[in-house]
Amino acid sequence: MIDEDRFRKNLSLIKHVADESGAEIILAFKGFAMWGVFDILKEYVGGAAASSVHEARLCFEEIGALAHTYSPVFKKDEFREILKYSSHVTFNSLSQYGKFSGSIMKNRRKISPGLRINPEFSEISHGLYNPCSPGSRLGITVEDLSGGIPEGIEGLHFHVLFEADSFALEKVLKVVESKFGKFFRQLKWINMGGGHLITRKGYDTKHLIRIIKDFRKRTGLHVILEPGSAFAWETGELVSTVEDIVENQGIRTAILDVSFTAHMPDCLEMPYKPSIFGATEPVNGKPVYRLGGNSCLSGDVMGEWSFENDLKAGDKVIFLDMIHYTMVKTTTFNGVQHPAIGIWTRDNKLRLIREFGYMDYKNRLS
């Protein structure tokens, strides 16, 4: 359930940063692709970053704009469609650019090609999300460009932040400029990727605006940012129901009608412990429960939490901040039912956007 007021608040702040800094800020579908609310999004933002032909098409169809498309690898039989729905195409390697540069140059409509770079510097502590880990497959190092920027390349793209502040970006920019600044005069744009958590409480937006303005003045490059989480940060909840309580060796587990592995996989991948409305870390004297999902995966559990009262079947458990990176990563493992999607509108009404059923599960498999 997404809350329209909170969503608009985030969008307003993002638009303010874009207007004041002169940067182009677009939505990264990898973090938020709930196109049922794009009618609201389009009042504030005019584009999106895509990582596949399907995301590029979604941008074209539901935002009405051509996508900024990057993928670790492009397939030959999909590339014509990638060009159809893209204004910018960024390549992960020199060999990929060599393979497809001819198609870009022959395309009737102008396409701006770029290269993803690996500055070999990142403050991301989660190895799963660090594109600068040793041996990373993502991006071109400065040593790879010893022969210079290939003819036709108009931009560079780096993505080395994760839920970061503007001071982390400032550090990254110093490294990027020291390593790749010699190529800037040949370029038109630089894409600073995602991970800019602009809408998190305490984020210094004035500092971010200053960094971008100074960079633009210093280099003359058009600056693009493509956050995902920031758009939907703290805008909505996942509402679940307790279906059963089981106890084993003194541990009480409330089994829910949702699944961590199927509906909240980030909780297990990072891992991280989500916040729950009305619950706290375990407290002596208060009821303590582990929460379990409704799949048969043994590890489909999380917790523990303390609640004000004992839980029972039928009680609601509300997971906070479950809009970004939740729906885009869901699966139908075990054929578990997907939660319905809705919006709580500005006039305090529930609008149901989508419900899921058997055919959604069946049609993915054959």
Side-chain angles (χ1 to χ4, degrees), residues 30 54 76 145 147 199 216 327 358 363:
K30 66 173 68 71
H54 289 167
K76 185 177 181 180
L145 296 176
T199 52
R216 291 178 56 238
M327 286 180 282
Y358 169 67
N363 288 337

Side-chain angles (χ1 to χ4, degrees), residues 156-194:
L156 297 179
H157 175 191
F158 64 85
H159 185 135
V160 298
L161 300 176
F162 173 75
E163 295 185 357
D165 59 21
S166 57
F167 297 93
L169 173 62
E170 190 172 37
K171 294 176 187 177
V172 171
L173 275 181
K174 289 179 181 178
V175 176
V176 169
E177 286 194 70
S178 68
K179 290 187 173 183
F180 298 92
K182 57 189 174 184
F183 303 121
F184 286 176
R185 284 182 294 178
Q186 301 169 241
L187 306 173
K188 295 181 179 180
W189 53 268
I190 187 165
N191 186 324
M192 299 180 183

Side-chain angles (χ1 to χ4, degrees), residues 2 71 102 119 144 164 245 274 284 288 328:
I2 191 169
S71 177
D144 296 328
I245 306 290
N284 287 333
V288 176
V328 294

Side-chain angles (χ1 to χ4, degrees), residues 85-103:
Y85 297 124
S86 304
S87 61
H88 297 64
V89 176
T90 297
F91 296 91
N92 187 64
S93 68
L94 294 174
S95 59
Q96 277 270 292
Y97 177 62
K99 181 177 182 178
F100 293 110
S101 58
S103 298

Side-chain angles (χ1 to χ4, degrees), residues 321-355:
D321 196 21
M322 280 289 153
I323 299 298
H324 60 92
Y325 278 103
T326 300
M327 286 180 282
V328 294
K329 285 192 170 185
T330 54
T331 72
T332 57
F333 177 62
N334 275 180
V336 295
Q337 181 78 14
H338 269 262
I341 300 172
I343 181 171
W344 191 257
T345 65
R346 300 178 93 177
D347 53 357
N348 289 321
K349 293 181 180 178
L350 166 64
R351 177 165 64 88
L352 190 63
I353 294 177
R354 176 75 189 273
E355 289 185 286

Side-chain angles (χ1 to χ4, degrees), residues 15 198 243 271 286 347:
K15 186 177 187 301
I198 300 168
E243 297 294 342
K286 289 188 176 182
D347 53 357

